[in-house]
Amino acid sequence: MGGRLYGQQALQEGFVPRLVGLHHKDGYLVPFAYPRGAPVVRIVGGRGSGKTALLGAVHDAYNGRVPLARVDLGAAGFGEPGVADGDDDVPNASRITHLLYLLAYKLGLEVRHFGKPMAFPRLSLGLLVVTAWRPLNSDETDVRPPDLRRAEADLRTLITAEDPDVRRRRESLGRWFDVVTDNLPLVLSAVPGLDTIAGIVLDTARAQLVRSEPDKGALAWWGARLHRNQGYQGDSLQRLFQFVRGFRRLDDRRRSAEEHLVAALLDDIDANYGTLRRLNRKPRPLLLLDNAHTDVGRVFLDLLDAGLPGHGAAPGKAPTRPVALATLLGRGHGYPPLSEVGGDAVPPARPLVLSIPDIEPAHIAEMLSSVDYPDHLPRVVARYSGGRAASARILADAAVRRVEEVGTIRGGELLDEAAPALLAKLLPDPVLRERLVLLSAAADAGTRRGLWTYSHPEDHSEELVAVRVREADEYRTRSCLDGDRALDLLLRHRLAAAVTHDRWRDTQLRLRSLCDPRGDTYLHHTLALGRVDEVVGVLHHRFTVVPPGAWLTSLNLVCSAPHPREGYAPPAGSPFLSCTACRSDPPGPHHDAIASLVPLLWRLSDPLTLAPREDELTTVRIALETLYGNKAAHAAYREASAAWPARLRAGVQAPDLPVQEGAAS
């Protein structure tokens, strides 16, 4: 089922009805937004953003009301139960032919109040010959049964004859088709489980081959198209069987053959809308294509684009084309949001690419509304969901269950329960997911390999270590999650929960040893160890020698250090020497200001922290004003003293607190 949508109603309830021509709930017709045919609508979003839920809602609204096909282009068998994956490296099948069989089957199912089910004679003919016909001089091992080889040999003799006997050729076609149908599991061995669906689709092909004259119907369509586009010779039937050679080349000619097959699908759809259906403004068929960012998805969308209006379509009667909604994994922030297609808007862009908006605070409050939740909880859900509806839903459901069971919930308890499910949703590969959990402890790329070597001493080779780290990073990039702050928080929480206090201490010490002692990441790991005084002393020294903007930027990064679990104690070791920047005992006001800023900002940067108290915000403001000290050169501290308390109150945390533009230089 589609489930609750958040921020996507403009498309589901407003735009899709104007594409299809039918209201999403009621039975009344809606004027078409694109009378000459809509472009493919690409919907871009990250994992858990609600792409699949959107297609589910559209499916639920129109299933049984219009011809509809929903497929998952990223799943085995495109999500069809019992069907295996196709293979692009076999002569008689490809991922595209597999997909076309499924689309023709699903679109051809009976729909109430639509009339006669849709038929696909052009497509079924093309699929039949590429699937079952074997050209001469094929280098494939022939393991087919003798009756199929005999039927094919007899038909080949009649097809290649210059003046064939029409009656005998029809009889031979019928025998060959019947034998092919009886042996479909063997013919389609590259795609186990597809034979039942293929048999239903190919029923249309028999009538076209056996009963049609070569210059009529679907056979004539193939003859004209192949003669016009490839220059095949002979009559329509001869051209059709020659067409197989191009498909079996496994090169650019296969892509050209697949283009013909998609064109056959589109022209079959148009042919199903005769004069009566057009006069009655029957709704258009609907293709719902999930995970179209996959290789087969990109190819199919390109082929659809080439066959839809806006790509050299001939003037005159506008053909009836399907409505295609395709979801793609990606970063959608560069595209218009779904809300832009609300009302009467008709975006002109082709292809039309829209993004799924981030979930809003009101949506999170709605998810939690069934219980009396703590005031800070929506902020925690928003911080760890990263704007993703599915992530927010997982967190909210876990929070509601906890509140219903014990009456309240702490942020750490919520994350302990929800983090495994959240990470499994965002990073499905368990091996690479756990690898990223470990590597999340490193603050920069320079320490990642050293951390892996420390944690996996069995990987002796530097090349092997580099491969392990690169595989994890590339997996995160492919998942469109590189730089995602919410994922970083989840990974670090999971790491802190999975290791002992001693292991946390040893990991941070190891990471610190890999850093330049003069750099920010060294202090970052020092603070993660709990050595606050050491960090304060170094930052006080830097305060006297670096520009204010650069100092505030360092403070931001250092105070974003991760937090260990409760009960952790800083490691024992050599005591920290007195602050080298202090020339007085007790320390002066600048040291005191920094000593109050560092632990407070670090605590407030904990993503599980409650909203800061007003007295804490006052402490931040006073400390920064102290560092400003009415010096014009220190204006960045004055700007921060005004901006940081307000941003902290709004939920912003280090390292995202603002630094005056240009001040870092």
Side-chain angles (χ1 to χ4, degrees):
M1 299 295 288
R4 175 74 167 89
L5 298 181
Y6 299 95
Q8 302 172 37
Q9 290 87 347
L11 185 135
Q12 185 235 349
E13 299 177 4
F15 194 47
V16 171
R18 292 190 293 131
L19 298 176
V20 176
L22 181 66
H23 189 267
H24 70 287
K25 286 185 178 178
D26 299 324
Y28 63 84
L29 301 179
V30 177
F32 291 120
Y34 299 89
R36 297 188 63 85
V40 175
V41 181
R42 290 166 166 83
I43 301 165
V44 180
R47 283 205 178 110
S49 60
K51 304 185 302 298
T52 300
L54 174 59
L55 291 190
V58 174
H59 174 272
D60 293 348
Y62 288 99
N63 189 32
R65 303 175 66 208
V66 301
L68 183 150
R70 181 184 182 184
V71 292
D72 185 347
L73 299 174
F78 298 129
E80 187 68 18
V83 178
D85 266 337
D87 190 342
D88 272 337
D89 295 326
V90 297
N92 69 329
S94 71
R95 298 278 284 161
I96 294 296
T97 60
H98 175 188
L99 175 60
L100 290 172
Y101 270 120
L102 283 176
L103 294 179
Y105 165 70
K106 293 189 174 190
L107 291 174
L109 296 175
E110 185 174 358
V111 177
R112 289 182 61 194
H113 308 303
F114 186 78
K116 184 179 178 181
M118 296 181 71
F120 296 89
R122 297 164 182 80
L123 178 60
S124 62
L125 270 180
L127 290 174
L128 172 65
V129 296
V130 300
T131 297
W133 187 250
R134 180 178 298 216
L136 281 174
N137 304 320
S138 173
D139 57 1
E140 306 164 54
T141 302
D142 198 344
V143 295
R144 298 174 301 165
D147 57 343
L148 180 55
R149 281 181 278 173
R150 284 194 301 269
E152 185 177 278
D154 179 60
L155 180 56
R156 180 178 288 113
T157 300
L158 292 168
I159 289 176
T160 56
E162 292 186 6
D163 188 18
D165 183 301
V166 175
R167 181 186 60 80
R168 281 193 60 203
R169 189 162 75 172
R170 285 183 179 176
E171 292 174 352
S172 181
L173 279 168
R175 286 193 298 272
W176 175 72
F177 185 92
D178 291 340
V179 176
V180 166
T181 303
D182 291 341
N183 290 277
L184 268 180
L186 177 61
V187 172
L188 286 169
S189 58
V191 192
L194 187 62
D195 50 290
T196 301
I197 289 172
I200 295 171
V201 173
L202 294 181
D203 273 346
T204 310
R206 191 182 202 285
Q208 291 294 320
L209 280 174
V210 178
R211 300 174 193 167
S212 294
E213 296 293 339
D215 58 348
K216 292 181 181 179
L219 194 54
W221 183 93
W222 276 103
R225 183 175 180 89
L226 294 174
H227 183 65
R228 182 174 64 250
N229 290 278
Q230 258 85 24
Y232 288 112
Q233 301 302 310
D235 63 25
S236 295
L237 188 68
Q238 290 169 330
R239 294 171 193 166
L240 178 62
F241 278 84
Q242 293 171 38
F243 163 70
V244 182
R245 290 189 178 277
F247 183 87
R248 293 191 169 224
R249 294 294 185 182
L250 302 180
D251 56 19
D252 290 343
R253 282 167 288 188
R254 166 165 287 196
R255 185 55 39 79
S256 177
E258 291 172 340
E259 183 177 342
H260 293 318
L261 291 169
V262 172
L265 168 74
L266 295 175
D267 280 6
D268 277 334
I269 289 174
D270 179 55
N272 280 277
Y273 284 76
T275 302
L276 188 59
R277 275 182 174 158
R278 290 175 185 273
L279 287 174
N280 291 331
R281 293 181 54 244
K282 282 293 186 182
R284 291 167 176 157
L286 189 55
L287 302 180
L288 303 178
L289 310 170
D290 204 2
N291 291 313
H293 57 275
T294 54
D295 290 342
V296 66
R298 287 193 296 269
V299 171
F300 185 64
L301 292 189
D302 287 345
L303 295 174
L304 270 184
D305 281 335
L308 291 175
H311 289 265
K317 178 180 72 70
T320 299
R321 294 305 193 215
V323 174
L325 302 183
T327 64
L328 297 87
L329 176 65
R331 297 181 183 276
H333 297 106
Y335 303 106
L338 296 182
S339 57
E340 290 205 3
V341 295
D344 296 327
V346 181
R350 291 177 182 269
L352 175 56
V353 185
L354 301 170
S355 64
I356 293 183
D358 288 348
I359 195 165
E360 298 175 1
H363 299 145
I364 295 174
E366 178 186 336
M367 294 177 183
L368 296 167
S369 60
S370 63
V371 295
D372 184 15
Y373 55 83
D375 291 341
H376 70 281
L377 190 57
R379 180 175 291 183
V380 172
V381 172
R383 190 170 287 152
Y384 279 94
S385 66
R388 291 176 280 268
S391 295
R393 183 83 264 175
I394 291 172
L395 285 160
D397 288 348
V400 168
R401 285 194 302 270
R402 184 73 177 177
V403 172
E404 288 176 341
E405 290 171 1
V406 300
T408 188
I409 187 169
R410 299 175 62 191
E413 295 169 342
L414 171 61
L415 264 294
D416 288 345
E417 180 176 344
L422 286 169
L423 287 172
K425 178 80 172 178
L426 298 173
L427 303 169
D429 187 309
V431 173
L432 293 173
R433 180 171 66 241
E434 290 308 310
R435 201 176 295 181
L436 285 169
V437 168
L438 169 65
L439 295 175
S440 69
D444 57 31
T447 56
R448 294 166 73 77
R449 294 185 186 180
L451 175 60
W452 184 268
T453 301
Y454 166 71
S455 300
H456 293 82
E458 69 278 7
D459 292 344
H460 302 292
S461 164
E462 291 185 8
E463 291 79 6
L464 181 58
V465 170
V467 167
R468 295 281 189 261
V469 174
R470 185 173 63 251
E471 286 174 346
D473 292 341
E474 290 176 349
Y475 175 63
R476 181 168 176 167
T477 299
R478 289 195 307 274
S479 302
C480 299
L481 289 166
D482 46 320
D484 188 275
R485 184 63 54 78
L487 177 61
D488 288 335
L489 298 179
L490 286 169
L491 292 170
R492 290 173 183 172
H493 179 90
R494 190 65 182 152
L495 177 67
V499 299
T500 63
H501 288 154
D502 288 344
R503 184 65 176 177
W504 172 272
R505 182 183 304 117
D506 292 344
T507 298
Q508 297 298 330
L509 284 169
R510 175 61 177 172
L511 286 166
R512 193 175 79 147
S513 72
L514 298 170
C515 299
D516 182 346
R518 298 164 297 181
D520 292 339
T521 51
Y522 184 90
L523 291 182
H524 178 94
H525 292 296
T526 301
L527 193 55
L529 286 163
R531 293 178 170 176
V532 177
D533 290 344
E534 185 175 344
V535 172
V536 169
V538 175
L539 286 178
H540 187 192
H541 172 74
R542 287 191 188 177
F543 172 77
T544 65
V545 295
V546 301
W551 190 89
L552 288 169
T553 300
S554 294
L555 180 66
N556 243 324
L557 176 61
V558 171
C559 289
S560 68
H563 292 253
R565 302 285 284 187
E566 291 184 8
Y568 170 83
S574 57
F576 173 65
L577 302 178
S578 60
C579 175
T580 58
C582 288
R583 293 187 173 89
S584 61
D585 190 15
H590 289 160
H591 185 98
D592 288 342
I594 296 169
S596 64
L597 269 178
V598 169
L600 181 54
L601 288 178
W602 183 40
R603 185 170 62 78
L604 294 180
S605 76
D606 184 344
L608 294 174
T609 189
L610 305 181
R613 303 190 309 270
E614 286 302 314
D615 63 304
E616 293 173 330
L617 299 178
T618 299
T619 298
V620 172
R621 177 180 58 78
I622 292 174
L624 290 169
E625 287 177 347
T626 301
L627 297 179
Y628 166 52
N630 291 319
K631 293 183 179 180
H634 286 183
Y637 297 121
R638 182 183 58 188
E639 295 290 337
S641 72
W644 283 20
R647 300 301 292 273
L648 287 165
R649 186 183 293 110
V652 177
Q653 299 179 309
D656 299 321
L657 295 167
V659 176
Q660 184 181 12
E661 186 175 354
S665 59

